[in-house]
Amino acid sequence: PCDGAAQGPSPGGAEDEEEEDGAGEGRAWTPQEKLLHEARLKAKAKRRLRRPSSREAPPEGAQPGPEPGSPKGRGHDRRSRTGKGRGLPKKGGAGGKGVWGAPGLVYGYQEPDARDPNYDEAAQGDTVFATVVPELEEGELQSTVQPMVLEYFEHGDTGEVVELLRGLNLGSKKPAVPSLAVALALEGKASHRELTSRLLSDLVGRVVTPEDIACAFDKVLRDLPDLILDTPEAPQV
């Protein structure tokens, strides 16, 4: 029979385990003691694995950080993903959304843009509005001036015709107005020719020049063969 000290584990701790480890080297182990000793060694190894060291243990109240290989750990990493950069900010900190530019950078004067949301029209000085009327084309001139002349044959007011013609951008086509009026007068009555003569006299210096009148009659003479088809007595008139 074994003595009582060798029958069961003592409530000592790690020191008793070391003593029993050293004491059991000089004698034979019973099957029960051998199983008990192996169980105590396994429990001791598990306690060593679960026990954190003082260097690895995080301070109290601190949250554990992300793992080194996790995506969260790389979120604020300034190092280049390709391994070629030095970890510095792009463009020296002068680029990116909402950044004014590098320190010491001076911008030149830029013209204000009306499409800019911060554009202030009142700060740009006095605004002048001008109405731009495009120059009449050849087809538009005849369709616009001919009704004016025909209506003038009804009321006989040269002032109204002058104001209507001033509202048009005749440009280089001013001689076409007297020539059109003469062509319409040749097709009408003697009273229409008298009204046309008065209209041409009032237009000079206000809408057309004497040179425009001369060019207009030259055009009428060139178009005389065509005018004879509608008005055979056009050369005498």
Side-chain angles (χ1 to χ4, degrees), residues 1-24:
C2 299
D3 54 357
Q7 290 181 359
S10 62
E15 297 179 357
D16 296 341
E17 293 174 4
E18 295 177 358
E19 290 178 0
E20 292 183 2
D21 293 343

Side-chain angles (χ1 to χ4, degrees), residues 36-48 50:
L36 181 61
H37 181 65
E38 291 177 356
R40 294 176 65 184
L41 290 179
K42 291 180 180 180
K44 182 178 180 182
K46 290 182 179 180
R47 287 197 302 270
R48 288 180 179 177
R50 290 197 302 264

Side-chain angles (χ1 to χ4, degrees), residues 219-231:
K219 184 177 184 304
V220 171
L221 294 176
R222 289 193 304 267
D223 297 341
L224 191 57
D226 296 332
L227 296 175
I228 292 175
L229 298 177
D230 295 331
T231 309

Side-chain angles (χ1 to χ4, degrees), residues 27 36 39 42-43 51 62 69 78 96 105 121-122 144 147-148 154 169 190 204 216 231 234:
R27 61 183 181 83
L36 181 61
K42 291 180 180 180
R51 183 184 306 168
R78 288 181 174 270
L105 182 61
E121 184 177 356
T144 304
M148 296 182 186
E154 300 295 333
N169 186 5
V204 175
T231 309

Side-chain angles (χ1 to χ4, degrees), residues 59-236:
E60 296 182 2
Q63 297 181 357
E67 297 182 2
S70 65
K72 294 182 179 180
R74 299 193 301 266
H76 301 284
D77 189 7
R78 288 181 174 270
R79 290 179 297 178
S80 174
R81 303 293 187 268
T82 59
K84 297 181 180 180
R86 297 182 298 166
L88 301 177
K90 294 182 179 180
K91 301 180 181 179
K97 184 178 181 181
V99 180
W100 287 95
L105 182 61
V106 179
Y107 294 95
Y109 174 76
Q110 295 182 356
E111 291 291 338
D113 188 0
R115 296 173 296 180
D116 189 352
N118 297 325
Y119 178 80
D120 187 4
E121 184 177 356
Q124 306 306 321
D126 297 336
T127 303
V128 179
F129 296 94
T131 303
V132 179
V133 180
E135 183 177 349
L136 289 178
E137 298 181 358
E138 192 69 30
E140 296 177 347
L141 179 66
Q142 184 172 358
S143 62
T144 304
V145 176
Q146 183 172 351
M148 296 182 186
V149 178
L150 294 178
E151 187 177 357
Y152 165 70
F153 291 160
E154 300 295 333
H155 58 73
D157 186 2
T158 59
E160 181 178 348
V161 180
V162 171
E163 293 299 326
L164 292 176
L165 292 176
R166 281 180 173 177
L168 302 177
N169 186 5
L170 299 175
S172 60
K173 300 179 179 61
K174 291 181 179 180
V177 175
S179 64
L180 180 59
V182 171
L184 294 175
L186 293 178
E187 298 176 359
K189 300 180 294 186
S191 59
H192 294 168
R193 293 189 286 270
E194 179 64 27
L195 291 173
T196 304
S197 177
R198 190 191 311 168
L199 176 64
L200 298 181
S201 177
D202 292 345
L203 290 179
V204 175
R206 304 170 69 180
V207 177
V208 296
T209 62
E211 290 77 10
D212 295 333
I213 297 293
C215 294
F217 276 98
D218 289 341
K219 184 177 184 304
V220 171
L221 294 176
R222 289 193 304 267
D223 297 341
L224 191 57
D226 296 332
L227 296 175
I228 292 175
L229 298 177
D230 295 331
T231 309
E233 64 274 11
Q236 290 76 19

